[in-house]
Amino acid sequence: MNLETLAIQVTRFHDANASAVTTPIYLSTTYERDAEGNLPHGFLYTRGNNPNRDLLEKSLAALEGGTVGLAFGSGMAAISALFQALKPGDHVITTPFAYYAAQRLLVDVFEPWGLEFSLVDTSNLEEVEKAIRPTTKLFWLETPSNPLLYLTDLQALSRLAHSVGALCAVDNTWATPVLQNPIAFGADVVMHSTTKYFGGHSDVLGGALVLAQDGELAVHLRQIQNLTGGVPSPFDCWLITRGIQTMPLRVKAQSASALPIAQWLETHPAVERVHYPGLTSHPQHEIAKAQMKNGFGGMLSFEVRGGLPGAKKVAGALKVFTQATSLGGVESLIEPRKIYEGPDSPTPDGLLRVSVGLEHLDDLIADLDQALKNA
């Protein structure tokens, strides 16, 4: 099936009670046993499983071309579960250019717990090779990265990880399965903050892991998911599943607007640099063309003069764009990223991170133009 059809078909719930076209929301926390004490539908207690979560997890796996899907209460809960599946003394290779909160999780929570990690530029294969240790068990990748949109060669890094007996996991939040399927390039695990493009309307918090194969890791992650209890509510699952149905259309439309915005910004005299993999000037544009499809994403960032004060001034002058954290909703968002990440992050002070929404392209460019002129 084409992706637009798949997104509708995999999220269909066949209601045996009322033949409802829209999926019912199962709010029950517990489920009745039959006279013999069995569970006729396989559901026991909502922390363990629930009809809405079951549908969401199967949909996630189908869209990413995986075998097992696991839904969590947030993207950070999903990342935490994967790190918890490792052991004290294990080593993780990741990058300083990935999502800042994932790095803080390693530093503040898992390093004291005994997990070791190295921060390297994962777009540089030689640097990654040098960072490998006998205890390396996981490559934690993000492509395009947040917020500088660096790219990593998924096929090359997956092969390298497997050659040393490590797992390759990819944060695919920005690309979504509409634009990129890491499992097709050899990744073992794909992570999503389903808060973003899956939900698509800035009204639900969620996360997910999709595994290429069923097996020991899947069993372990299911156990962590159940025992730690970081699961989404039935209503949250329902919202995310509904969002999946329009995700291919939204992401393609947002990507179609992001490219001309990036091209326009690249020519603006007030803009020092634009980060977007769809630009021919992007240093990894060829990798983007090789492993992305249907466009290059609705996320971009650009740098203005004057550091953080300059970025704040531009953001404050915008009228159509909303100045807020997060991404992937129908509304266009912008944020001086240094405010969130703090002075120790490698993000340039003058960088503005942009999530392109579904407003008309001309209105978005006009808003950026007036803000850059007035800042």
Side-chain angles (χ1 to χ4, degrees):
M1 292 183 186
N2 291 299
L3 191 63
E4 292 85 352
T5 307
L6 185 65
I8 302 296
Q9 290 297 313
V10 298
T11 54
R12 287 289 304 275
F13 183 91
H14 300 286
D15 178 25
N17 295 317
S19 297
V21 174
T22 299
T23 305
I25 303 173
Y26 289 82
L27 295 176
S28 181
T29 57
T30 190
Y31 301 88
E32 184 179 3
R33 295 181 182 270
D34 62 20
E36 288 75 36
N38 299 317
L39 298 166
H41 301 287
F43 298 105
L44 169 67
Y45 183 67
T46 278
R47 175 163 51 79
N49 55 1
N50 165 279
N52 295 105
R53 199 170 95 216
D54 184 61
L55 179 63
L56 173 59
E57 291 180 335
K58 289 176 180 176
S59 301
L60 292 165
L63 289 168
E64 276 293 6
T67 302
V68 177
L70 300 98
F72 294 86
S74 69
M76 291 305 298
I79 297 171
S80 295
L82 183 60
F83 290 162
Q84 284 175 302
L86 302 175
K87 299 176 182 177
D90 285 349
H91 176 243
V92 177
I93 290 177
T94 187
T95 172
F97 307 114
Y99 180 45
Y100 189 69
Q103 296 175 49
R104 297 312 313 168
L105 180 67
L106 282 168
V107 172
D108 295 340
V109 177
F110 285 100
E111 190 173 38
W113 174 73
L115 204 62
E116 299 176 353
F117 66 95
S118 297
L119 298 175
V120 299
D121 180 0
T122 54
S123 67
N124 187 320
L125 193 61
E126 291 183 1
E127 285 193 26
V128 177
E129 289 176 336
K130 291 177 183 176
I132 293 172
R133 304 177 188 175
T135 54
T136 300
K137 300 298 181 184
L138 176 69
F139 286 20
W140 175 251
L141 311 176
E142 182 180 344
T143 180
S145 72
N146 178 5
L148 289 167
L149 292 110
Y150 290 152
L151 269 65
T152 294
D153 186 329
L154 292 174
Q155 192 167 59
L157 267 291
S158 295
R159 286 174 177 169
L160 182 59
H162 297 157
S163 73
V164 297
L167 294 169
C168 181
V170 181
D171 182 341
N172 201 35
T173 298
W174 278 26
T176 80
V178 180
L179 307 179
Q180 183 173 267
N181 291 111
I183 288 173
F185 295 95
D188 303 289
V189 183
V190 176
M191 194 287 295
H192 285 283
S193 172
T194 53
T195 307
K196 312 303 192 297
Y197 287 104
F198 277 82
H201 293 80
S202 303
D203 57 7
V204 60
L205 194 67
L209 295 174
V210 176
L211 279 64
Q213 302 293 333
D214 201 349
E216 185 178 341
L217 178 63
V219 171
H220 193 187
L221 286 169
R222 281 281 187 209
Q223 183 183 40
I224 292 169
Q225 180 194 44
N226 187 23
L227 293 178
T228 60
V231 296
S233 71
F235 183 51
D236 289 346
C237 292
W238 185 89
L239 284 170
I240 296 166
T241 305
R242 183 181 67 166
I244 287 173
Q245 296 176 340
T246 60
M247 181 175 66
L249 302 177
R250 287 185 283 104
V251 172
K252 288 181 180 180
Q254 288 160 322
S255 297
S257 291
L259 179 57
I261 289 173
Q263 291 169 331
W264 179 84
L265 285 167
E266 201 171 33
T267 65
H268 200 286
V271 175
E272 291 188 327
R273 189 176 180 187
V274 181
H275 305 272
Y276 187 69
L279 295 173
T280 56
S281 59
H282 192 286
Q284 296 148 328
H285 179 62
E286 293 303 315
I287 293 177
K289 289 198 299 181
Q291 64 188 29
M292 299 182 78
K293 57 188 178 181
N294 299 319
F296 300 96
M299 296 298 300
L300 61 94
S301 60
F302 64 98
E303 298 172 42
V304 296
R305 297 184 181 89
L308 183 55
K312 286 182 177 179
K313 196 171 182 181
V314 171
L318 289 162
K319 303 182 186 306
V320 177
F321 284 83
T322 299
Q323 187 176 180
T325 298
S326 200
L327 56 104
V330 297
E331 65 288 315
S332 291
L333 302 179
I334 193 165
E335 179 183 43
R337 192 59 187 164
K338 204 74 170 188
I339 292 177
Y340 176 80
E341 296 183 359
D344 296 331
S345 83
T347 298
D349 289 352
L351 183 136
L352 288 150
R353 191 185 75 174
V354 177
S355 173
V356 177
L358 295 176
E359 302 91 345
H360 196 282
L361 173 62
D362 292 347
D363 296 325
L364 294 174
I365 289 179
D367 193 32
L368 287 166
D369 191 31
Q370 66 83 22
L372 288 165
K373 286 177 179 176
N374 295 327

